[in-house]
Amino acid sequence: MSTKVKVLIAKVGLDGHNRGAVLLTTALRKEGFETFYSGLRRSPEEIAGMAVLHQVDCVGLSSLCGAHSVWFPKVTAALQTLSWQGQLVIAGGIIPVEDELELRKVGISAIFRPHHPIADIADYIRNHVKTATFPPARKIM
Amino acid sequence: MAHEQDFSREQPGAYPYTRGIYPEMYRKKLWTMRQYAGTGTPKETNRRLKRLLSQGQTGLSVAFDLPTQLGIDPDDERAAGEVGTCGVSVPALPQLDQTLHGIPLAEISLSMTVNATAPAIFAMTASLAGRLGIAPHLLRGTIQNDMLKEFSARNLYIFPPEPSVRMAADLMEFCIRHYPRWHPVSVSGYHLREAGADAGQEIGFAIANGIAYLELLLQRNIHVDEVAPGMSFFFSAGSGVLAEAAKFRAARRLWAKLVRERFKAKNPESMKMKFHAQTAGSELTSVQPEHNIVRVTLQALAAVLGGAQSLHTNAKDEVLRLPTASSALLALRTQQIIAAESGIADLVDPLGGAYEIEALTDRLEDEARKWIQAVDAHGGALKAVEIGFVQKKIRESAYKDYEAIQTGKRNIVGVNRWETSRPIPVPTSGNTSAKRMKHQASMAEAIQRQRSSRSEEDAARAILRLLRDADQRMNIMPAMLEAVNTGCTIGEIYGALEGLFGKYDEEVTPSHEYESQSFDREGRVGWT
């Protein structure tokens, strides 16, 4: 059985920008991960299904068209619905700083922007994949 | 490769047009300043377009949101969060009317960045122009309508390549026959470059796509001299000023030669490559957006030194989001300053004759020719994207570029050279998700109201006619006009066509340099 950390790089929503996602899929593989790429315009349910099917440890969501606030929470909800056993959800693309807080609330631990060194993203995944806790702890009212 | 070109014999405005398509270039007429704009509701976009005109912009360029470009209505759940986000939402004729309200369409040239749904958007435009009393032969503008590059780089496709490209050719044929001043295609190297292509691939693959469109139209018994003069191109202008200027010169020379030698064109207008340039978005950085002003200035300079017919200069913050009003103005002013204050516009091909420039021009022409030959060897541009050849080559180049940045072979100031630890904050755009959701709700309501007030019988008949014509491989444009005039929405039109042609999904093969490895349909890397 493979001991490699498994990562799914996924595109949700209508966005067609895939240069970064495809690049990351390959570069992370070179960094020693087992990587999967979802293909474009997947629904949240399709992405969650892939994450469960391939038993990935980390899901990386990519968006460069501004619809992240709508789609990313739907993906994290779908991951919970399907009881995904992974721990870490990260995101990347063109995501304004002011949107970070709400994305963190739904369980996205880190947001990376264009030109962020991939070696650094790889380190982040390695360091957090065992300690991160997805889904985020729910407040008891 | 030996070049028979002798610079001393090449003249601006004369074949092979290396030095420019006009003898006087900008001395006689400046390039068209055409900033790409569109956001939110049609009314908001209309205000933005009018403001750009009042600031001295000389052409318009409309950005459409993703649902409009993918044939999805604003009340469809797939459009959530995307309505009015990356451009204006135009699901039907009334929304186009609102977007262009009060803009003198017979006087100003209009550029529309839309591809998969270009036939519907052009049908709306033609219909609107007709209602405004503008004769078809007076309507000026450009519609991108370049489906081949959607499959190789830009990724906004709906159907598989063959029917997509066939409908693009329908629109070209329709414009050539009825709207002679409208450019029915803007063959785009820009997106290839943004996706990772190098300069030689950018112009080589784009020209290969241009060849494919020419061939499709020739098959419809249209002469090359009827098609080629209306074709326009769209390239990226990067920060490598001299190499980029040489790239434009190489592209012009190569196109002129191909159109004359391969297609036996007789009319010089067929051989003149007219192109729009946009400064390279992928070369901007999000770490210190203010510094992008300098990059955009260099990039705009490359376009002007290279003889562009129109130019969009990116806003410094475009890498983060749609630009604010003040950064949009700064972007326009950047090219206005080059035009009015640098003195470059008084000179024609000012770089021509310099040894390095001529050598670079020759080299890029050779490189581009090599890529065209590679596409030819795969059976032409359509086959080459169907089998993923172009996609693969572009992805390989993107990976090489990434490695070049990693190793410091390519420098980006603030990123891998004199890197900064403290990003410079930028003011927010104010286009919050709450505001966007409000837009979406109002657009959804409007489209539902429009659907309920039309004749269902007429709309249904129009859709059936469209499906029949598409199925029988007739030109879809007459039926498309009927569909938009009876109030059919873009979601209904493309939803119906999707039933006929099926949906196209990206082949998940980001294999880059890993020749021996493959990715299966679910993206699993096939290595063991």
Side-chain angles (χ1 to χ4, degrees), chain B residues 8 151 182 204 207 239 264 292 311 484:
Chain B
S8 61
F151 294 99
W182 188 273
I207 290 175
S239 302
K264 311 290 176 218
N292 290 331
L311 176 62
V484 301

Side-chain angles (χ1 to χ4, degrees), chain B residues 429-446:
Chain B
S429 63
N431 195 9
T432 59
S433 49
K435 193 174 159 198
R436 285 204 304 268
M437 294 316 282
K438 217 182 93 193
H439 279 156
Q440 175 142 15
S442 76
M443 293 295 298
E445 198 190 317

Side-chain angles (χ1 to χ4, degrees), chain B residues 495-517:
Chain B
L497 288 169
E498 193 180 308
L500 181 65
F501 294 128
K503 195 165 151 272
Y504 180 78
D505 265 331
E506 174 187 33
E507 199 68 53
V508 185
T509 52
S511 47
H512 308 290
E513 78 274 57
Y514 306 112
E515 294 288 349
S516 57
Q517 290 146 10

Side-chain angles (χ1 to χ4, degrees), chain B residues 19-67:
Chain B
R19 307 196 59 200
I21 58 170
Y22 306 117
E24 300 275 330
M25 287 302 291
Y26 309 134
R27 281 182 200 161
K28 209 161 181 181
K29 184 179 173 284
L30 280 174
W31 63 89
T32 303
M33 299 182 188
R34 197 190 292 282
Q35 300 296 92
Y36 186 42
T39 179
T41 62
K43 279 178 183 149
E44 260 181 288
T45 298
N46 182 263
R47 280 197 294 274
R48 196 149 193 162
L49 294 174
K50 283 177 177 162
R51 189 173 65 220
L52 282 163
L53 288 176
S54 75
Q55 289 166 342
Q57 177 166 305
T58 48
L60 290 179
S61 175
V62 180
F64 296 94
D65 68 2
L66 290 172

Side-chain angles (χ1 to χ4, degrees), chain B residues 133-204:
Chain B
I134 299 165
H137 69 278
L138 293 179
L139 189 65
R140 287 168 59 207
T142 305
I143 195 155
Q144 201 164 74
N145 194 33
D146 172 9
M147 278 315 295
L148 286 165
K149 68 89 174 56
E150 294 297 331
F151 294 99
S152 44
R154 192 168 172 266
N155 299 320
L156 299 183
Y157 38 69
I158 305 169
F159 318 120
E162 194 281 322
S164 301
V165 171
R166 192 208 313 161
M167 286 192 285
D170 286 347
L171 174 53
M172 288 179 222
E173 180 184 9
F174 184 76
C175 287
I176 290 163
R177 298 195 194 282
H178 306 288
Y179 291 84
R181 293 183 76 190
W182 188 273
H183 298 289
V185 65
S186 174
V187 186
S188 308
Y190 183 84
H191 311 95
L192 308 177
R193 189 66 177 278
E194 287 285 296
D198 63 28
Q201 290 172 329
E202 178 192 353
I203 57 175

Side-chain angles (χ1 to χ4, degrees), chain A residues 4 14 16 18-19 22-23 26 29-30 34-37 39-41 65-67 71 94 98 115 118, chain B residues 80 82 85-86 155 194 284 319-320 395 399 401-402 428 436 506 508 510 512-514 517 524-525 527:
Chain A
K4 288 184 177 182
L14 302 182
N18 64 355
R19 178 176 176 172
V22 169
L23 184 69
T26 302
R29 200 189 75 77
K30 279 195 147 185
E34 185 173 351
T35 58
F36 303 86
Y37 169 57
L40 287 167
R41 290 190 276 280
C65 72
W71 289 110
I94 298 182
E98 61 264 30
H115 291 131
I118 293 180
Chain B
E82 321 259 18
T85 302
C86 280
N155 299 320
E194 287 285 296
L284 302 186
V319 66
L320 297 166
R395 286 172 178 192
Y399 199 84
D401 185 55
Y402 155 72
T428 62
R436 285 204 304 268
E506 174 187 33
V508 185
H512 308 290
E513 78 274 57
Y514 306 112
Q517 290 146 10
R524 195 185 173 98
V525 186
W527 53 276

